[in-house]
């Protein structure tokens, strides 16, 4: 007999676990199936953004996550970029995510993905409405107008089960069975380049890099790499390292001198003990859509990419946050189908631009610049360009995902959802809300509700009542936070700010709109 849930999640990596956690905390009965029984000890997905740490704070496990880090508390999270090798005279340590810190409620963090997954799994065990099944794989997904059926099998055993649900979410990686079963295609940029990932231990490398200010990653650029990177990352501060680099496409574990390659990138010889050698293909791909009926995809199932810039894991977690509250709203009866449709409409444009504009385009720009400017060809010209690149390294400031074009946001005329934007204190429809202190000593983030929140700063009672009555009529959860329109709160430039459950603004104004109920229906996915 089939087991029944509200949501079934296929794939229990960080994105699937995060979605199960978010739904579980919202009271949704969900089940998660994951092929792995243990955690893969490969230090990928380490850079967690300030936005990601906001999610962990709302889940109540931000402190547990920070306690799981392997690097010392306070150790700088940043990058050194060098030309030719890490002993080169040409290097710079550009500013990182600290340049946008004030726009978020939490500091960023750095730790291996398996450490983060362990924190998520521990929290999931505390939720009675979440069923987690490890060591099982989905083998078929079928849907009709009433629900979805997922057939599960125990790869190394005789177990067979069928789960039924209102909705299914595939978080099952780049080779997603769920995506294939519902016929969602992918497209993007394939660089036809094999990359190697090595994990090793070397105290000598740590000692050799003391010429630099303390940093967590080290990037090497060379003309012959065609814009691809040789990239060192710390696992801890002492001897743990990983290394990404392009290799010939016919490379195997037995026919290539990996240690020689690493010494070439470092610029000096050193001893190392190797724990892992693996390969991956350099490509950027995004699914044509993120929804097919009652089936959704998220994380690597929806978008794959090289591990550049920390975009992958953080965007996958943002997928989970975007979809989680919308599924809960629909299942609770106050969210409409347009709210579910907005998941794909909002999230897909973001990663399409991330993949093409922030990753693929950067590879091409690096290749062109390194081919044109060479120190051996014109030293003065190269130094001017190198300094220009050091001074202009500010993509963090231009990376500001927003949903201005969403059908469930009262955005500006002609607005589009985009990964490009400008961080501002001003509250803008479609954009992440900047944290600000309240007059009671708490931060506005500490007062946000699990549903919609209306920030009312010296707003007229009539305007507040209009929103409350509209929300009650539509059964949309709404919390009102009142305060004075003074001090830092004036930076929002609006006395009324309507914020949805994922901390994105959906509307701002000086007074309630004439059709407040129409607005509330729109942002709940139940109207124009």
């Amino acid at each position: 007999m089939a087991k029944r849930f509200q949501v079934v999640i296929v794939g229990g990596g960080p994105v699937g676990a995060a979605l199960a956690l978010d739904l579980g905390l919202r009271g949704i009965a969900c089940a998660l199936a994951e092929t792995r029984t243990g955690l893969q000890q490969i230090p990928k997905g380490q850079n967690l953004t300030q936005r990601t740490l906001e999610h962990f704070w709302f889940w109540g496990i931000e402190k547990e996550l920070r306690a799981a880090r392997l690097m010392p508390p306070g150790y700088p999270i940043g990058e050194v970029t060098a030309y030719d090798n890490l002993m080169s005279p040409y290097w710079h340590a550009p500013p990182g995510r600290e340049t946008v810190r004030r726009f978020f409620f939490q500091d960023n963090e750095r730790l291996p993905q398996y450490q983060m997954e362990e924190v998520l799994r521990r929290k999931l065990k505390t939720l009675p409405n979440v069923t987690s099944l490890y060591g099982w794989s989905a083998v078929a997904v079928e849907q009709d107008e009433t629900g979805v059926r997922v057939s599960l099998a125990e790869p190394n055993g005789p177990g067979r089960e069928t789960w039924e649900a209102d909705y299914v979410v595939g978080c099952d990686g780049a080779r997603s069975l769920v995506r294939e079963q519902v016929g969602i295609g992918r497209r993007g940029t394939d660089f036809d380049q094999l990359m190697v990932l090595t994990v090793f231990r070397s105290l000598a490398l740590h000692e050799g890099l003391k010429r630099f200010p303390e940093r967590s990653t080290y990037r090497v650029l060379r003309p012959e790499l065609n814009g691809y990177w040789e990239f060192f990352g710390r696992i801890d501060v002492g001897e743990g390292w990983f290394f990404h680099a392009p290799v010939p496409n016919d490379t195997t574990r037995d026919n290539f001198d990996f240690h020689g390659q690493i010494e070439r990138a470092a610029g000096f010889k050193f001893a190392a003990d190797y724990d892992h050698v693996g390969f991956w293909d350099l490509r950027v791909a995004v699914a044509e859509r993120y929804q097919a009926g009652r089936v959704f995809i998220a994380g690597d199932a929806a978008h794959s990419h090289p591990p550049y810039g920390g975009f992958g894991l953080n965007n996958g977690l943002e997928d989970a946050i975007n979809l989680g509250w919308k599924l809960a709203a629909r299942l609770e009866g106050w969210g409409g189908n347009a709210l579910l449709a907005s998941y794909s409409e909002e999230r897909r444009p973001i990663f399409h631009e991330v993949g093409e504009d922030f990753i693929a385009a950067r590879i091409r720009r690096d290749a062109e610049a390194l081919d044109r400017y060479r120190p051996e060809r014109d030293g003065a010209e190269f130094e001017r360009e190198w300094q220009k690149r050091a001074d202009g390294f500010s993509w963090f400031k231009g990376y500001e995902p927003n949903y201005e074009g969403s059908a469930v946001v009262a955005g500006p005329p002609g607005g589009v959802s985009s990964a490009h934007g400008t961080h501002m204190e001003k509250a803008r429809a479609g954009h992440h809300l900047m944290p600000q202190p309240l007059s009671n000593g708490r931060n506005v983030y500490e007062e946000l509700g699990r549903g919609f929140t209306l920030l009312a700063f010296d707003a007229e009672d009539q305007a507040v009542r209009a929103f409350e009555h509209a929300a009650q009529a539509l059964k949309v959860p709404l919390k009102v936070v009142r305060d004075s329109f003074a001090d830092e709160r004036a930076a929002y430039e609006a006395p009324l700010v309507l914020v949805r459950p994922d901390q994105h603004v959906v509307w701002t104004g000086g007074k309630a709109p004439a059709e407040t109920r129409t607005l509330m229906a729109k942002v709940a996915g139940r109207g124009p």
Side-chain angles (χ1 to χ4, degrees), residues 364-381:
R364 297 188 188 101
R365 287 195 301 269
D366 282 345
E368 293 169 0
L370 292 168
D371 181 62
R372 177 178 176 182
Y373 302 102
R374 305 282 186 94
E376 66 274 16
R377 185 183 299 157
D378 187 329
E381 182 184 46

Side-chain angles (χ1 to χ4, degrees), residues 132-165:
S132 299
L133 191 61
Y134 298 102
W136 288 68
S137 300
V139 295
V141 178
E142 301 172 297
Q143 66 172 316
D144 56 32
E145 293 181 356
T146 63
V148 191
R149 292 171 63 89
V150 178
S151 300
L152 299 166
E154 195 176 14
N156 299 316
R160 298 292 184 271
E161 283 196 13
T162 300
W163 288 352
E164 294 181 348

